[in-house]
Amino acid sequence: MNSRRTNLDELKDSSARPVALFLDDGGVLNDNSLRAPEWLRLIGDFMPALMGGTVEQWAAANAIVFPQVWGDLRRRLSDFAIYRQFERAYAINWMRGMCAAVGVAIPPDDDAVALHRELSIYVSERANATFAGAGDAVVALHRAGYMLYMASGTPSWELRGILAKMGIAEMFTEFYGPDLVDRVKYGRGYYEEIFAHAGVAPTSALIIESDAECCDWASEASARAVWIDAGGRGDATSLASLVDALV
């Protein structure tokens, strides 16, 4: 694989700073370990009134159903030619599994997809999972003049809610969201699609990612990439620490 990441010293010393920054969400702006219990809590707020069952039943069901559904589809990401296929498969499989576990009627497929989107928006607008300092880091990057974009496997309608909850939505030019280019976040093609959609030259972009493999795909697409990992395996431990190299 002909790819490499960009370390912080290179960013500090570079005479050609990136123009546009493309940020991942989970692992960069928000902590997935905090988001998981928030989903359990907020599913219990949302689903019983619409579908029946109890708060405890929905929470218990998701603890079992989500890992199974997500794990299966994650292993098959490369099989989905377009994002809409992935979204539909995930929503239907999740809803079927959840309703079966809770013991309520399973809605028709189209209704299941629509209901899952409503739930996702509801959760995104209310969940508390932000990394300390992440919002301030985004503000600093925006004030420094960078064009900011999201580059996430999370769809744009969730990202809008997440960033609005953080108070930083207006600082982003676009919320990529695989739905905006109808391509799952898998392989270099995802990054090529979002760069083309944004009208940004890949060589002017910096991908800020929580996944080393995504950094490889981004660099294969001719962009620079930084891996953020709180455990210290990457190029930076937080977005805040990366700001020091960019501002």
Side-chain angles (χ1 to χ4, degrees), residues 13 77 82 129 138 148 154 165 176 185 208 224:
D13 296 340
L77 274 177
I82 59 176
V138 169
L148 301 180
T154 300
K165 179 72 166 59
Y176 296 110
K185 189 177 179 180
I208 302 172
R224 285 175 283 181

Side-chain angles (χ1 to χ4, degrees), residues 29-211:
L29 297 180
N30 285 275
D31 186 341
N32 288 330
S33 69
L34 299 179
R35 180 172 282 156
E38 285 290 272
W39 263 88
L40 294 181
R41 176 178 69 85
L42 291 163
I43 287 171
D45 288 347
F46 185 86
M47 294 298 286
L50 293 175
M51 303 289 291
T54 67
V55 171
E56 293 77 16
Q57 285 175 316
W58 285 101
N62 192 61
I64 298 170
V65 173
F66 169 75
Q68 294 174 343
V69 172
W70 173 243
D72 174 62
L73 292 180
R74 185 179 176 86
R75 288 189 293 271
R76 298 191 289 116
L77 274 177
S78 60
D79 296 341
F80 293 93
I82 59 176
Y83 176 73
R84 283 173 292 172
Q85 294 174 340
F86 171 85
E87 178 198 353
R88 185 172 179 85
Y90 176 79
I92 291 170
N93 291 347
W94 183 86
M95 194 64 68
R96 286 175 178 172
M98 291 290 288
C99 290
V102 174
V104 298
I106 299 172
D109 288 353
D110 288 348
D111 293 344
V113 173
L115 182 58
H116 185 265
R117 183 177 294 199
E118 290 178 26
L119 169 64
S120 299
I121 293 171
Y122 180 88
V123 173
S124 70
E125 293 175 344
R126 292 164 176 80
N128 297 304
T130 306
F131 280 118
D136 290 340
V138 169
V139 172
L141 293 170
H142 182 259
R143 288 177 176 169
Y146 291 103
M147 292 189 299
L148 301 180
Y149 301 85
M150 293 302 295
S152 174
T154 300
S156 63
W157 57 83
E158 286 188 54
L159 293 174
R160 285 187 178 89
I162 290 167
L163 298 178
K165 179 72 166 59
M166 294 178 66
I168 56 174
E170 71 281 358
M171 298 179 186
F172 285 81
T173 300
E174 191 56 274
F175 308 101
Y176 296 110
D179 55 298
L180 295 189
V181 292
D182 205 12
R183 185 160 188 155
V184 295
K185 189 177 179 180
Y186 185 90
R188 63 182 288 178
Y190 166 80
Y191 293 100
E192 291 170 342
E193 292 280 358
I194 64 172
F195 296 149
H197 191 280
V200 172
T203 53
S204 298
L206 178 69
I207 297 293
I208 302 172
E209 252 297 337
S210 63
D211 187 289

